[in-house]
Amino acid sequence: MKSLLEHAPSTQKQVSSAKVRTLLRNYQDDERTGMVELTSGSMPLITVLLIEGMLLHSGQQIADTYQPVPLKKIPDLLHNAKSTLRIVPLPAEGVRALKAIFTWSPLKPPLSGKTSELPGLINTWSASEESSVVYIRWPDAAGLVLLPGQIPPRTGIHIATQKIQGGAKGLAAIHNHAEGTCIVTRYAPQRDTIVSHAQLVPLRLAFASATDLVISSYEYLMGSSMTKSLINHLNVQATANGWDIKFSTIEVVDTHSFTTLEAAQQAYQLLTGALEKYIALVIGQKLAQSLMNESLSTLPSDIRQSLFRK
């Protein structure tokens, strides 16, 4: 399988299969965020995705499908041969987008078009109910855009030979890429494996709105440095549970495909509980409770119970 990010800045080394296990463990201990690729002879490409050292996904291209592979089994697949290991540092949202590409399916065959058409395409797709990821290929670069569903994207990841840009700057770089032609593929989860979007959307939007309000209020009280620690804590919680949910001071990006409404409720309850517990340790239980109650006050009672167990 050809790398999705062949133009990305990366480091590359030749390693023995015996050393692969140690290197992967070191990357986890070092809390790296990005993609690790392993190739050996004619063996299909193996890809490992990490966020802050935690495994988000590992798998291998088998025929026309991408199959998950447990991390501990990767050295055995190399058959004691010399391997090429490639490391691509990425922002967390880029890692999440790659996982979606590996585990979801193209909605339609790739489209060939002009870069100037991208803003219109992305705006049209962002109005759709379903979560999706847009993968853009130019001859000299690539782009990734996460679409949570019915929410216009504010961030993107632009990957060129000399530089990787994320966030709002990444989205702007995608829209302003100089190359005139590109190939665009949109990926989404299988419909029969996810909860009805009509059921999930109110809960997802309420979760994002409530947590955004709490994070904003906390930042006003404690400043950006303390808020960064809170956001890191929440992102660790989400990643550790395998949820494609990313927190920031700008917005909550939630592209996880839940199999049931109950699974979504449990995830949001755990995260909002982690949010309240963390800020209570810093600002005290009484003030933390006040911030949480403020975010709750604008929500319907059924949504409030689903999110906060209150």
Side-chain angles (χ1 to χ4, degrees), residues 240-258:
N241 285 280
W243 298 320
D244 294 328
I245 301 172
K246 174 69 175 177
F247 296 87
S248 73
T249 55
I250 301 173
E251 64 178 342
V252 176
V253 178
D254 176 8
T255 57
H256 191 79
S257 299
F258 293 101

mmCIF file with all atom_site columns, all heavy atoms in Angstrom, residues 240-258:
data_model
loop_
_atom_site.group_PDB
_atom_site.id
_atom_site.type_symbol
_atom_site.label_atom_id
_atom_site.label_alt_id
_atom_site.label_comp_id
_atom_site.label_asym_id
_atom_site.label_entity_id
_atom_site.label_seq_id
_atom_site.pdbx_PDB_ins_code
_atom_site.Cartn_x
_atom_site.Cartn_y
_atom_site.Cartn_z
_atom_site.occupancy
_atom_site.B_iso_or_equiv
_atom_site.pdbx_formal_charge
_atom_site.auth_seq_id
_atom_site.auth_comp_id
_atom_site.auth_asym_id
_atom_site.auth_atom_id
_atom_site.pdbx_PDB_model_num
ATOM 1   N N   . ALA A 1 240 ? -7.749  7.341  25.212 1.00 0.00 ? 240 ALA A N   1
ATOM 2   C CA  . ALA A 1 240 ? -7.600  6.095  25.962 1.00 0.00 ? 240 ALA A CA  1
ATOM 3   C C   . ALA A 1 240 ? -8.808  5.179  25.774 1.00 0.00 ? 240 ALA A C   1
ATOM 4   O O   . ALA A 1 240 ? -8.685  3.949  25.835 1.00 0.00 ? 240 ALA A O   1
ATOM 5   C CB  . ALA A 1 240 ? -7.388  6.400  27.440 1.00 0.00 ? 240 ALA A CB  1
ATOM 6   N N   . ASN A 1 241 ? -9.963  5.776  25.533 1.00 0.00 ? 241 ASN A N   1
ATOM 7   C CA  . ASN A 1 241 ? -11.178 4.988  25.320 1.00 0.00 ? 241 ASN A CA  1
ATOM 8   C C   . ASN A 1 241 ? -11.482 4.728  23.849 1.00 0.00 ? 241 ASN A C   1
ATOM 9   O O   . ASN A 1 241 ? -12.512 4.129  23.522 1.00 0.00 ? 241 ASN A O   1
ATOM 10  C CB  . ASN A 1 241 ? -12.373 5.694  25.970 1.00 0.00 ? 241 ASN A CB  1
ATOM 11  C CG  . ASN A 1 241 ? -12.373 5.571  27.481 1.00 0.00 ? 241 ASN A CG  1
ATOM 12  O OD1 . ASN A 1 241 ? -12.780 4.548  28.023 1.00 0.00 ? 241 ASN A OD1 1
ATOM 13  N ND2 . ASN A 1 241 ? -11.898 6.600  28.171 1.00 0.00 ? 241 ASN A ND2 1
ATOM 14  N N   . GLY A 1 242 ? -10.601 5.206  22.975 1.00 0.00 ? 242 GLY A N   1
ATOM 15  C CA  . GLY A 1 242 ? -10.783 4.957  21.545 1.00 0.00 ? 242 GLY A CA  1
ATOM 16  C C   . GLY A 1 242 ? -11.840 5.801  20.876 1.00 0.00 ? 242 GLY A C   1
ATOM 17  O O   . GLY A 1 242 ? -12.341 5.446  19.808 1.00 0.00 ? 242 GLY A O   1
ATOM 18  N N   . TRP A 1 243 ? -12.188 6.956  21.494 1.00 0.00 ? 243 TRP A N   1
ATOM 19  C CA  . TRP A 1 243 ? -13.218 7.817  20.917 1.00 0.00 ? 243 TRP A CA  1
ATOM 20  C C   . TRP A 1 243 ? -12.575 8.880  20.047 1.00 0.00 ? 243 TRP A C   1
ATOM 21  O O   . TRP A 1 243 ? -11.607 9.536  20.457 1.00 0.00 ? 243 TRP A O   1
ATOM 22  C CB  . TRP A 1 243 ? -14.031 8.500  22.018 1.00 0.00 ? 243 TRP A CB  1
ATOM 23  C CG  . TRP A 1 243 ? -14.772 7.522  22.892 1.00 0.00 ? 243 TRP A CG  1
ATOM 24  C CD1 . TRP A 1 243 ? -15.412 6.398  22.500 1.00 0.00 ? 243 TRP A CD1 1
ATOM 25  C CD2 . TRP A 1 243 ? -14.929 7.600  24.320 1.00 0.00 ? 243 TRP A CD2 1
ATOM 26  N NE1 . TRP A 1 243 ? -15.966 5.767  23.577 1.00 0.00 ? 243 TRP A NE1 1
ATOM 27  C CE2 . TRP A 1 243 ? -15.688 6.478  24.709 1.00 0.00 ? 243 TRP A CE2 1
ATOM 28  C CE3 . TRP A 1 243 ? -14.514 8.511  25.280 1.00 0.00 ? 243 TRP A CE3 1
ATOM 29  C CZ2 . TRP A 1 243 ? -16.032 6.229  26.036 1.00 0.00 ? 243 TRP A CZ2 1
ATOM 30  C CZ3 . TRP A 1 243 ? -14.850 8.279  26.617 1.00 0.00 ? 243 TRP A CZ3 1
ATOM 31  C CH2 . TRP A 1 243 ? -15.604 7.149  26.972 1.00 0.00 ? 243 TRP A CH2 1
ATOM 32  N N   . ASP A 1 244 ? -13.117 9.103  18.873 1.00 0.00 ? 244 ASP A N   1
ATOM 33  C CA  . ASP A 1 244 ? -12.607 10.130 17.957 1.00 0.00 ? 244 ASP A CA  1
ATOM 34  C C   . ASP A 1 244 ? -13.225 11.479 18.324 1.00 0.00 ? 244 ASP A C   1
ATOM 35  O O   . ASP A 1 244 ? -14.066 12.027 17.604 1.00 0.00 ? 244 ASP A O   1
ATOM 36  C CB  . ASP A 1 244 ? -12.926 9.760  16.503 1.00 0.00 ? 244 ASP A CB  1
ATOM 37  C CG  . ASP A 1 244 ? -12.183 8.511  16.063 1.00 0.00 ? 244 ASP A CG  1
ATOM 38  O OD1 . ASP A 1 244 ? -11.069 8.293  16.562 1.00 0.00 ? 244 ASP A OD1 1
ATOM 39  O OD2 . ASP A 1 244 ? -12.727 7.750  15.251 1.00 0.00 ? 244 ASP A OD2 1
ATOM 40  N N   . ILE A 1 245 ? -12.818 11.986 19.472 1.00 0.00 ? 245 ILE A N   1
ATOM 41  C CA  . ILE A 1 245 ? -13.305 13.255 19.993 1.00 0.00 ? 245 ILE A CA  1
ATOM 42  C C   . ILE A 1 245 ? -12.097 14.098 20.374 1.00 0.00 ? 245 ILE A C   1
ATOM 43  O O   . ILE A 1 245 ? -11.224 13.630 21.102 1.00 0.00 ? 245 ILE A O   1
ATOM 44  C CB  . ILE A 1 245 ? -14.210 13.054 21.227 1.00 0.00 ? 245 ILE A CB  1
ATOM 45  C CG1 . ILE A 1 245 ? -15.416 12.169 20.862 1.00 0.00 ? 245 ILE A CG1 1
ATOM 46  C CG2 . ILE A 1 245 ? -14.691 14.396 21.773 1.00 0.00 ? 245 ILE A CG2 1
ATOM 47  C CD1 . ILE A 1 245 ? -16.264 11.753 22.044 1.00 0.00 ? 245 ILE A CD1 1
ATOM 48  N N   . LYS A 1 246 ? -12.045 15.314 19.858 1.00 0.00 ? 246 LYS A N   1
ATOM 49  C CA  . LYS A 1 246 ? -10.895 16.188 20.078 1.00 0.00 ? 246 LYS A CA  1
ATOM 50  C C   . LYS A 1 246 ? -11.361 17.489 20.721 1.00 0.00 ? 246 LYS A C   1
ATOM 51  O O   . LYS A 1 246 ? -12.231 18.184 20.195 1.00 0.00 ? 246 LYS A O   1
ATOM 52  C CB  . LYS A 1 246 ? -10.197 16.485 18.743 1.00 0.00 ? 246 LYS A CB  1
ATOM 53  C CG  . LYS A 1 246 ? -9.077  17.509 18.826 1.00 0.00 ? 246 LYS A CG  1
ATOM 54  C CD  . LYS A 1 246 ? -7.877  16.994 19.585 1.00 0.00 ? 246 LYS A CD  1
ATOM 55  C CE  . LYS A 1 246 ? -6.728  17.997 19.542 1.00 0.00 ? 246 LYS A CE  1
ATOM 56  N NZ  . LYS A 1 246 ? -5.573  17.537 20.336 1.00 0.00 ? 246 LYS A NZ  1
ATOM 57  N N   . PHE A 1 247 ? -10.757 17.830 21.868 1.00 0.00 ? 247 PHE A N   1
ATOM 58  C CA  . PHE A 1 247 ? -11.072 19.066 22.574 1.00 0.00 ? 247 PHE A CA  1
ATOM 59  C C   . PHE A 1 247 ? -10.037 20.139 22.248 1.00 0.00 ? 247 PHE A C   1
ATOM 60  O O   . PHE A 1 247 ? -8.861  19.842 22.034 1.00 0.00 ? 247 PHE A O   1
ATOM 61  C CB  . PHE A 1 247 ? -11.082 18.834 24.087 1.00 0.00 ? 247 PHE A CB  1
ATOM 62  C CG  . PHE A 1 247 ? -12.149 17.893 24.563 1.00 0.00 ? 247 PHE A CG  1
ATOM 63  C CD1 . PHE A 1 247 ? -11.922 16.529 24.585 1.00 0.00 ? 247 PHE A CD1 1
ATOM 64  C CD2 . PHE A 1 247 ? -13.378 18.370 24.985 1.00 0.00 ? 247 PHE A CD2 1
ATOM 65  C CE1 . PHE A 1 247 ? -12.905 15.651 25.024 1.00 0.00 ? 247 PHE A CE1 1
ATOM 66  C CE2 . PHE A 1 247 ? -14.365 17.504 25.414 1.00 0.00 ? 247 PHE A CE2 1
ATOM 67  C CZ  . PHE A 1 247 ? -14.133 16.140 25.431 1.00 0.00 ? 247 PHE A CZ  1
ATOM 68  N N   . SER A 1 248 ? -10.482 21.393 22.215 1.00 0.00 ? 248 SER A N   1
ATOM 69  C CA  . SER A 1 248 ? -9.587  22.534 22.067 1.00 0.00 ? 248 SER A CA  1
ATOM 70  C C   . SER A 1 248 ? -10.299 23.760 22.616 1.00 0.00 ? 248 SER A C   1
ATOM 71  O O   . SER A 1 248 ? -11.473 23.693 23.000 1.00 0.00 ? 248 SER A O   1
ATOM 72  C CB  . SER A 1 248 ? -9.205  22.759 20.594 1.00 0.00 ? 248 SER A CB  1
ATOM 73  O OG  . SER A 1 248 ? -10.301 23.295 19.871 1.00 0.00 ? 248 SER A OG  1
ATOM 74  N N   . THR A 1 249 ? -9.604  24.899 22.643 1.00 0.00 ? 249 THR A N   1
ATOM 75  C CA  . THR A 1 249 ? -10.243 26.136 23.091 1.00 0.00 ? 249 THR A CA  1
ATOM 76  C C   . THR A 1 249 ? -11.133 26.727 22.004 1.00 0.00 ? 249 THR A C   1
ATOM 77  O O   . THR A 1 249 ? -11.879 27.673 22.266 1.00 0.00 ? 249 THR A O   1
ATOM 78  C CB  . THR A 1 249 ? -9.188  27.177 23.506 1.00 0.00 ? 249 THR A CB  1
ATOM 79  O OG1 . THR A 1 249 ? -8.282  27.371 22.418 1.00 0.00 ? 249 THR A OG1 1
ATOM 80  C CG2 . THR A 1 249 ? -8.417  26.711 24.731 1.00 0.00 ? 249 THR A CG2 1
ATOM 81  N N   . ILE A 1 250 ? -11.065 26.182 20.798 1.00 0.00 ? 250 ILE A N   1
ATOM 82  C CA  . ILE A 1 250 ? -11.881 26.682 19.690 1.00 0.00 ? 250 ILE A CA  1
ATOM 83  C C   . ILE A 1 250 ? -13.216 25.952 19.621 1.00 0.00 ? 250 ILE A C   1
ATOM 84  O O   . ILE A 1 250 ? -14.283 26.566 19.565 1.00 0.00 ? 250 ILE A O   1
ATOM 85  C CB  . ILE A 1 250 ? -11.133 26.531 18.348 1.00 0.00 ? 250 ILE A CB  1
ATOM 86  C CG1 . ILE A 1 250 ? -9.813  27.310 18.381 1.00 0.00 ? 250 ILE A CG1 1
ATOM 87  C CG2 . ILE A 1 250 ? -11.998 27.005 17.184 1.00 0.00 ? 250 ILE A CG2 1
ATOM 88  C CD1 . ILE A 1 250 ? -8.946  27.076 17.170 1.00 0.00 ? 250 ILE A CD1 1
ATOM 89  N N   . GLU A 1 251 ? -13.153 24.614 19.660 1.00 0.00 ? 251 GLU A N   1
ATOM 90  C CA  . GLU A 1 251 ? -14.369 23.820 19.526 1.00 0.00 ? 251 GLU A CA  1
ATOM 91  C C   . GLU A 1 251 ? -14.082 22.374 19.894 1.00 0.00 ? 251 GLU A C   1
ATOM 92  O O   . GLU A 1 251 ? -12.931 21.951 19.961 1.00 0.00 ? 251 GLU A O   1
ATOM 93  C CB  . GLU A 1 251 ? -14.902 23.883 18.086 1.00 0.00 ? 251 GLU A CB  1
ATOM 94  C CG  . GLU A 1 251 ? -13.941 23.275 17.080 1.00 0.00 ? 251 GLU A CG  1
ATOM 95  C CD  . GLU A 1 251 ? -14.471 23.291 15.664 1.00 0.00 ? 251 GLU A CD  1
ATOM 96  O OE1 . GLU A 1 251 ? -15.686 23.451 15.482 1.00 0.00 ? 251 GLU A OE1 1
ATOM 97  O OE2 . GLU A 1 251 ? -13.667 23.126 14.736 1.00 0.00 ? 251 GLU A OE2 1
ATOM 98  N N   . VAL A 1 252 ? -15.152 21.624 20.118 1.00 0.00 ? 252 VAL A N   1
ATOM 99  C CA  . VAL A 1 252 ? -15.055 20.179 20.269 1.00 0.00 ? 252 VAL A CA  1
ATOM 100 C C   . VAL A 1 252 ? -15.325 19.552 18.908 1.00 0.00 ? 252 VAL A C   1
ATOM 101 O O   . VAL A 1 252 ? -16.365 19.826 18.296 1.00 0.00 ? 252 VAL A O   1
ATOM 102 C CB  . VAL A 1 252 ? -16.073 19.653 21.303 1.00 0.00 ? 252 VAL A CB  1
ATOM 103 C CG1 . VAL A 1 252 ? -16.015 18.131 21.370 1.00 0.00 ? 252 VAL A CG1 1
ATOM 104 C CG2 . VAL A 1 252 ? -15.802 20.249 22.675 1.00 0.00 ? 252 VAL A CG2 1
ATOM 105 N N   . VAL A 1 253 ? -14.390 18.745 18.418 1.00 0.00 ? 253 VAL A N   1
ATOM 106 C CA  . VAL A 1 253 ? -14.574 18.042 17.146 1.00 0.00 ? 253 VAL A CA  1
ATOM 107 C C   . VAL A 1 253 ? -14.862 16.578 17.461 1.00 0.00 ? 253 VAL A C   1
ATOM 108 O O   . VAL A 1 253 ? -13.999 15.854 17.959 1.00 0.00 ? 253 VAL A O   1
ATOM 109 C CB  . VAL A 1 253 ? -13.326 18.167 16.248 1.00 0.00 ? 253 VAL A CB  1
ATOM 110 C CG1 . VAL A 1 253 ? -13.526 17.374 14.959 1.00 0.00 ? 253 VAL A CG1 1
ATOM 111 C CG2 . VAL A 1 253 ? -13.055 19.633 15.935 1.00 0.00 ? 253 VAL A CG2 1
ATOM 112 N N   . ASP A 1 254 ? -16.079 16.154 17.201 1.00 0.00 ? 254 ASP A N   1
ATOM 113 C CA  . ASP A 1 254 ? -16.539 14.811 17.543 1.00 0.00 ? 254 ASP A CA  1
ATOM 114 C C   . ASP A 1 254 ? -16.927 14.087 16.264 1.00 0.00 ? 254 ASP A C   1
ATOM 115 O O   . ASP A 1 254 ? -17.978 14.346 15.682 1.00 0.00 ? 254 ASP A O   1
ATOM 116 C CB  . ASP A 1 254 ? -17.729 14.916 18.500 1.00 0.00 ? 254 ASP A CB  1
ATOM 117 C CG  . ASP A 1 254 ? -18.346 13.574 18.843 1.00 0.00 ? 254 ASP A CG  1
ATOM 118 O OD1 . ASP A 1 254 ? -17.774 12.542 18.466 1.00 0.00 ? 254 ASP A OD1 1
ATOM 119 O OD2 . ASP A 1 254 ? -19.407 13.568 19.494 1.00 0.00 ? 254 ASP A OD2 1
ATOM 120 N N   . THR A 1 255 ? -16.084 13.161 15.819 1.00 0.00 ? 255 THR A N   1
ATOM 121 C CA  . THR A 1 255 ? -16.377 12.393 14.600 1.00 0.00 ? 255 THR A CA  1
ATOM 122 C C   . THR A 1 255 ? -16.480 10.904 14.906 1.00 0.00 ? 255 THR A C   1
ATOM 123 O O   . THR A 1 255 ? -16.376 10.079 13.995 1.00 0.00 ? 255 THR A O   1
ATOM 124 C CB  . THR A 1 255 ? -15.288 12.626 13.539 1.00 0.00 ? 255 THR A CB  1
ATOM 125 O OG1 . THR A 1 255 ? -14.010 12.279 14.079 1.00 0.00 ? 255 THR A OG1 1
ATOM 126 C CG2 . THR A 1 255 ? -15.270 14.068 13.083 1.00 0.00 ? 255 THR A CG2 1
ATOM 127 N N   . HIS A 1 256 ? -16.674 10.563 16.173 1.00 0.00 ? 256 HIS A N   1
ATOM 128 C CA  . HIS A 1 256 ? -16.759 9.148  16.515 1.00 0.00 ? 256 HIS A CA  1
ATOM 129 C C   . HIS A 1 256 ? -18.078 8.555  16.038 1.00 0.00 ? 256 HIS A C   1
ATOM 130 O O   . HIS A 1 256 ? -19.129 9.197  16.129 1.00 0.00 ? 256 HIS A O   1
ATOM 131 C CB  . HIS A 1 256 ? -16.625 8.946  18.023 1.00 0.00 ? 256 HIS A CB  1
ATOM 132 C CG  . HIS A 1 256 ? -16.438 7.509  18.397 1.00 0.00 ? 256 HIS A CG  1
ATOM 133 N ND1 . HIS A 1 256 ? -15.224 6.870  18.293 1.00 0.00 ? 256 HIS A ND1 1
ATOM 134 C CD2 . HIS A 1 256 ? -17.315 6.568  18.841 1.00 0.00 ? 256 HIS A CD2 1
ATOM 135 C CE1 . HIS A 1 256 ? -15.344 5.618  18.667 1.00 0.00 ? 256 HIS A CE1 1
ATOM 136 N NE2 . HIS A 1 256 ? -16.612 5.404  18.996 1.00 0.00 ? 256 HIS A NE2 1
ATOM 137 N N   . SER A 1 257 ? -18.030 7.331  15.539 1.00 0.00 ? 257 SER A N   1
ATOM 138 C CA  . SER A 1 257 ? -19.234 6.625  15.076 1.00 0.00 ? 257 SER A CA  1
ATOM 139 C C   . SER A 1 257 ? -19.658 5.632  16.150 1.00 0.00 ? 257 SER A C   1
ATOM 140 O O   . SER A 1 257 ? -19.077 4.559  16.280 1.00 0.00 ? 257 SER A O   1
ATOM 141 C CB  . SER A 1 257 ? -18.942 5.894  13.761 1.00 0.00 ? 257 SER A CB  1
ATOM 142 O OG  . SER A 1 257 ? -18.575 6.802  12.763 1.00 0.00 ? 257 SER A OG  1
ATOM 143 N N   . PHE A 1 258 ? -20.653 6.004  16.919 1.00 0.00 ? 258 PHE A N   1
ATOM 144 C CA  . PHE A 1 258 ? -21.136 5.142  17.998 1.00 0.00 ? 258 PHE A CA  1
ATOM 145 C C   . PHE A 1 258 ? -22.094 4.094  17.444 1.00 0.00 ? 258 PHE A C   1
ATOM 146 O O   . PHE A 1 258 ? -22.896 4.367  16.552 1.00 0.00 ? 258 PHE A O   1
ATOM 147 C CB  . PHE A 1 258 ? -21.847 5.982  19.064 1.00 0.00 ? 258 PHE A CB  1
ATOM 148 C CG  . PHE A 1 258 ? -20.930 6.902  19.816 1.00 0.00 ? 258 PHE A CG  1
ATOM 149 C CD1 . PHE A 1 258 ? -20.876 8.254  19.508 1.00 0.00 ? 258 PHE A CD1 1
ATOM 150 C CD2 . PHE A 1 258 ? -20.126 6.409  20.831 1.00 0.00 ? 258 PHE A CD2 1
ATOM 151 C CE1 . PHE A 1 258 ? -20.035 9.107  20.210 1.00 0.00 ? 258 PHE A CE1 1
ATOM 152 C CE2 . PHE A 1 258 ? -19.280 7.249  21.536 1.00 0.00 ? 258 PHE A CE2 1
ATOM 153 C CZ  . PHE A 1 258 ? -19.231 8.604  21.229 1.00 0.00 ? 258 PHE A CZ  1
#
